[in-house]
Amino acid sequence: MAEEYFGIPRDIQAFFEDAYGKTLLIKGPPGTGKTAFALTLLSMLKGNGAYLATRVDPETLYQQHPWIRDKIAAENIVDATQSERERAIKSPGVTIKPLKYSNVPDFLKAVYTRTEQMESPIIIIDSWDAIVSYTGYYEPREREKLEHNLCDFSRKMRTKIILLAEYSGQTALDYLVDGVVLVESDMNRERRLRRMVMQKLRGIQITNPVRLFTLDQGIFKAFAEFKAHIPVNRENPAVPEPLPDLNELRISTGIPNLDPVLGGYGSFNRFDGDYVPYDLLARAVSVNALNLGRELVLTLHEQFEFVARIAPFVQPAHKEKIKFVEDLKDLPAKIGGDRALVLLNLEGVANVDHAVRAVLTPIKERRCVVLCYGCNGGGQGKDLRSITATHLKARFISGVPCLYGVMPRTEYFGLELVPAAHQHRFPLIAITPIV
């Protein structure tokens, strides 16, 4: 299936496609998303899962990740600590039995006992550091022996084993396992960003080793590699149903899940940063505004290419409402109706503040909605704060078009072009919070 559905990069899917035993190490500091990644990966693999828990309470695993119920049976959620008592989960009549071991052979025997009746067993060990601690193999040579035996067990028993570890550097385990993925979480501009680094996938050519991901709704999702153009059938295009204005002062962004985040676009909306993410937003609002019967006035450098992309999805009667302006001083004369949408591209303009105010003054009485790109180049645009309704920063991060709101303040969002169900429809633009 397509990787956009699972949120797992195609390289990792290919790594697990054969029937051989595989070991994958997922490593990173606490809170970076290792458990969510492992469970999401398990949910898309063909096989039966067992979860050996040492740091995540087995009794609350279903509460935290209810969507894995169909992949991990209750009896296969195993307390991999050395607790001697049986632990009952909240489902009546089901117990979580501890996995007992005192040395390497006993531990592997216990794992085998848990999985011998499974078809295509997949084991998540969360976390490997705790297992090593419980076995008492503290010395490097003894630990390496344990890890070598586990990898050998995986290959011989054709069992897929996913190990979670709490470190970022390299150890002997990195060389023994078949695959290594590092997950990272850091703060950028006081907003969270998450990246995964595919360091090794034995037998697989890694096409793009660094991928941006999110844990939205508790589910791991790596953003797909961005494709600026999705093929559509332009011979018989379908005009999308426009989204209505949010109120008398704010119009729709044309993206359903962006409207509640921003509250729509007001009279003057600032954008700066990379052009491609802004272009996606401009396309969505332009198609929506035109199909609501508004005028669209463009001052874009690539205005003809822009129009060629959106025109097939605009009602024929409204295509004549697309107008072009070469000189900003001619803008007021071009606007013939109320509530027009104006796209200003001010890249290369010497005095942005002066240019914007000169344009806004004669058109504000017509309640126009202005999207202005390039407001903050070279530190300009500082004097526009008092008239700004929304201020968005657009960035390409690890190959993914992203945006975040300065006003209103928002987290990072990843932008994706989602192919419509039919090729003659306008590709949807989806935004996903990076949390």
Side-chain angles (χ1 to χ4, degrees), residues 180-348:
V180 180
V181 175
L182 171 67
V183 289
E184 302 174 316
S185 174
D186 56 26
M187 302 299 290
N188 183 288
R189 303 176 187 272
E190 300 182 347
R191 295 164 174 85
R192 185 174 300 281
L193 283 176
R194 297 184 185 272
R195 293 181 178 88
M196 64 180 298
V197 183
M198 291 174 278
Q199 297 182 337
K200 179 175 76 170
L201 295 173
R202 191 168 288 156
I204 300 297
Q205 181 179 356
I206 301 175
T207 56
N208 184 6
V210 181
R211 302 290 285 270
L212 204 66
F213 73 92
T214 180
L215 299 181
D216 186 36
Q217 300 181 35
I219 300 175
F220 177 96
K221 176 188 175 182
F223 289 93
E225 294 184 70
F226 177 68
K227 297 180 181 179
H229 306 296
I230 293 180
V232 293
N233 184 355
R234 297 177 183 274
E235 294 181 2
N236 185 29
V239 175
E241 187 69 25
L243 301 175
D245 294 346
L246 278 74
N247 52 53
E248 285 295 320
L249 299 177
R250 313 279 288 200
I251 71 168
S252 173
T253 63
I255 303 175
N257 58 345
L258 183 57
D259 280 343
V261 173
L262 301 181
Y265 292 135
S267 58
F268 181 73
N269 309 273
R270 297 171 52 186
F271 298 80
D272 53 72
D274 296 325
Y275 179 77
V276 170
Y278 164 75
D279 180 67
L280 293 176
L281 301 176
R283 281 193 244 171
V285 69
S286 296
V287 169
N288 198 74
L290 284 165
N291 285 327
L292 286 173
R294 289 198 171 91
E295 289 183 339
L296 173 64
V297 183
L298 299 122
T299 62
L300 298 174
H301 297 319
E302 301 176 351
Q303 52 190 335
F304 297 107
E305 181 180 353
F306 181 89
V307 170
R309 292 177 185 172
I310 67 171
F313 308 101
V314 176
Q315 294 180 19
H318 297 324
K319 291 181 181 180
E320 62 184 22
K321 296 181 179 179
I322 302 175
K323 301 179 179 181
F324 304 101
V325 172
E326 294 294 336
D327 195 322
L328 287 180
K329 68 177 184 298
D330 299 327
L331 180 60
K334 282 284 184 178
I335 300 173
D338 193 31
R339 292 286 259 180
L341 175 65
V342 180
L343 303 186
L344 294 178
N345 188 333
L346 298 183
E347 285 187 298

Side-chain angles (χ1 to χ4, degrees), residues 361-431:
T361 300
I363 67 174
K364 64 180 180 179
E365 295 181 356
R366 300 181 187 178
R367 301 191 305 151
C368 294
V369 176
V370 178
L371 269 62
C372 187
Y373 174 73
C375 293
N376 214 28
Q380 299 182 53
K382 294 181 179 179
D383 295 336
L384 301 177
R385 295 172 185 171
S386 62
I387 61 172
T388 298
T390 62
H391 183 189
L392 300 181
K393 299 273 189 176
R395 298 284 186 270
F396 250 114
I397 303 174
S398 299
V400 177
C402 299
L403 67 90
Y404 67 90
V406 177
M407 187 172 67
R409 191 184 190 282
T410 73
E411 64 266 82
Y412 272 102
F413 289 88
L415 277 68
E416 296 174 285
L417 274 180
V418 181
H422 304 286
Q423 282 195 330
H424 62 279
R425 295 188 181 276
F426 183 63
L428 302 176
I429 300 172
I431 66 166

Side-chain angles (χ1 to χ4, degrees), residues 155-190:
R155 287 188 292 270
K156 290 180 178 179
M157 303 308 299
R158 293 180 177 268
T159 299
K160 296 177 173 64
I161 299 179
I162 302 171
L163 304 166
L164 277 59
E166 299 284 349
Y167 63 86
S168 300
Q170 288 190 338
T171 69
L173 181 59
D174 292 63
Y175 301 98
L176 292 172
V177 296
D178 300 303
V180 180
V181 175
L182 171 67
V183 289
E184 302 174 316
S185 174
D186 56 26
M187 302 299 290
N188 183 288
R189 303 176 187 272
E190 300 182 347

Side-chain angles (χ1 to χ4, degrees), residues 13-55:
Q13 294 183 41
F15 173 73
F16 280 111
E17 277 179 352
D18 59 51
Y20 298 106
K22 293 285 180 68
T23 48
L24 177 68
L25 173 63
I26 303 174
K27 61 182 183 178
T32 50
K34 297 184 295 295
T35 300
F37 176 30
L39 292 174
T40 305
L41 176 59
L42 174 66
S43 72
M44 58 78 57
L45 292 175
K46 295 180 180 179
N48 297 285
Y51 188 86
L52 277 55
T54 61
R55 60 178 180 177

